[in-house]
Amino acid sequence: MRVTISICDCGLRQFRIVAGILRWNGFDMFSSAIDHLVVTAPTLAAGIQFVEQKLGCRMQPGGRHPRMGTHNALLRIGVDCYLEVISIDPDAVPPARSRWFELDMLL
């Protein structure tokens, strides 16, 4: 299973860690606060199983994102931070644009 872990700030910008430095669109981000960590998975059940197996804790039901054709599960990991498992919602209408976190690459 391919699992991608992304870091998002409050503005929902997706970051990558490059050589220990948080990067967004090629720019180093030294003053951002982490809002949530994201695990993408081919199915929500597979992503939940992965996280629960690795961390030994239960994910909570999240919600659906109709505009993006995705759904999620959540785990609070701090006062202002959470872990999100997200995948394509098979019951949703596919969006006209690409989904978040390159989820369309999992198809």
Side-chain angles (χ1 to χ4, degrees):
M1 174 174 67
R2 175 181 173 252
V3 174
T4 301
I5 300 177
S6 297
I7 301 171
C8 299
D9 73 353
C10 298
L12 295 179
R13 292 177 292 194
Q14 183 177 345
F15 296 89
R16 300 271 190 236
I17 298 176
V18 179
I21 298 173
L22 219 51
R23 302 203 77 172
W24 177 69
N25 280 353
F27 297 99
D28 294 345
M29 302 297 292
F30 296 105
S31 62
S32 288
I34 294 174
D35 180 68
H36 63 290
L37 305 174
V38 179
V39 175
T40 62
T43 68
L44 190 57
I48 290 170
Q49 180 181 11
F50 174 82
V51 170
E52 289 181 351
Q53 197 172 43
K54 296 297 182 188
L55 299 182
C57 54
R58 305 261 320 167
M59 300 287 300
Q60 299 300 310
R64 297 184 184 285
H65 314 110
R67 286 182 34 220
M68 294 303 285
T70 59
H71 56 171
N72 66 0
L74 305 169
L75 175 66
R76 181 155 300 283
I77 55 175
V79 176
D80 295 321
C81 192
Y82 63 96
L83 175 71
E84 174 184 25
V85 172
I86 191 168
S87 69
I88 293 173
D89 184 347
D91 298 328
V93 175
R97 61 177 180 241
S98 297
R99 291 176 177 94
W100 293 314
F101 310 110
E102 301 177 348
L103 283 168
D104 295 303
M105 304 278 290
L106 298 177
L107 294 175

